[in-house]
Amino acid sequence: MLQRHGLDPADIAAIEVDISGFQYGMCGGKVIQSRAQAQMSLPYALAARLLYGKVFLAELEEAAWSAAEIGPLMDRITVRIDPAMKDEDEPAITIVTISGERHQLVVEFPLGGPQNPLSDERLIGKYAALAGMVLPTARVDAISDFVLDLENQTDARSLLALLQ
């Protein structure tokens, strides 16, 4: 919605989240005192996206969720249980701008799910970012190249050497 409507975080007066009771219990919390709570908090994810521009591993670290700017952003987020929503319904997110505009979105099929898979480029990028945290770049690339060309490999056991 930010890109679609040309919004900057400074343009946002409030964010309203309508969510099922089940989903609220799972990810509606606004108290963040651990990485697990940050991972499971939709309000935190929204605030982190506004502050950091993304939500990935670094944004789940204590330095990110305890940053002074996060609290005021989370204060602008209201999470409401919609009793008409089924447990499996995706949340409805409404951005209210300072000028009073309202933009709502429900992502019926979240990115990364079976109906909305990551593109190969994004999947490989995610792999590289995660693997790059523990492996040198050359090894990350070699594993990626091997797996992407798996159908042409004579022996898949060669992958084991790359993974050691």
Side-chain angles (χ1 to χ4, degrees), residues 73-90:
L73 286 171
M74 288 184 65
D75 289 343
R76 292 194 258 166
I77 300 169
T78 302
V79 182
R80 303 179 294 230
I81 295 174
D82 181 344
M85 293 179 90
K86 294 182 235 148
D87 288 351
E88 65 275 7
D89 287 346
E90 294 297 330

Side-chain angles (χ1 to χ4, degrees), residues 102-123:
R102 298 177 66 82
H103 305 284
Q104 186 179 65
L105 179 66
V106 176
V107 177
E108 292 295 332
F109 302 108
L111 185 61
Q115 297 94 340
N116 189 10
L118 288 173
S119 67
D120 288 349
E121 181 179 286
R122 289 189 72 174
L123 188 60

Side-chain angles (χ1 to χ4, degrees), residues 35-108:
R35 179 186 188 93
Q37 288 174 326
Q39 285 177 298
M40 294 305 295
S41 172
L42 180 55
Y44 173 72
L46 294 169
R49 169 58 181 88
L50 291 175
L51 182 60
Y52 303 116
K54 63 183 176 59
V55 183
F56 200 58
L57 294 179
E59 292 72 38
L60 298 175
E61 297 295 333
E62 183 174 0
W65 50 260
S66 64
E69 301 89 346
I70 286 292
L73 286 171
M74 288 184 65
D75 289 343
R76 292 194 258 166
I77 300 169
T78 302
V79 182
R80 303 179 294 230
I81 295 174
D82 181 344
M85 293 179 90
K86 294 182 235 148
D87 288 351
E88 65 275 7
D89 287 346
E90 294 297 330
I93 310 293
T94 304
I95 293 177
V96 182
T97 66
I98 291 175
S99 65
E101 295 174 329
R102 298 177 66 82
H103 305 284
Q104 186 179 65
L105 179 66
V106 176
V107 177
E108 292 295 332

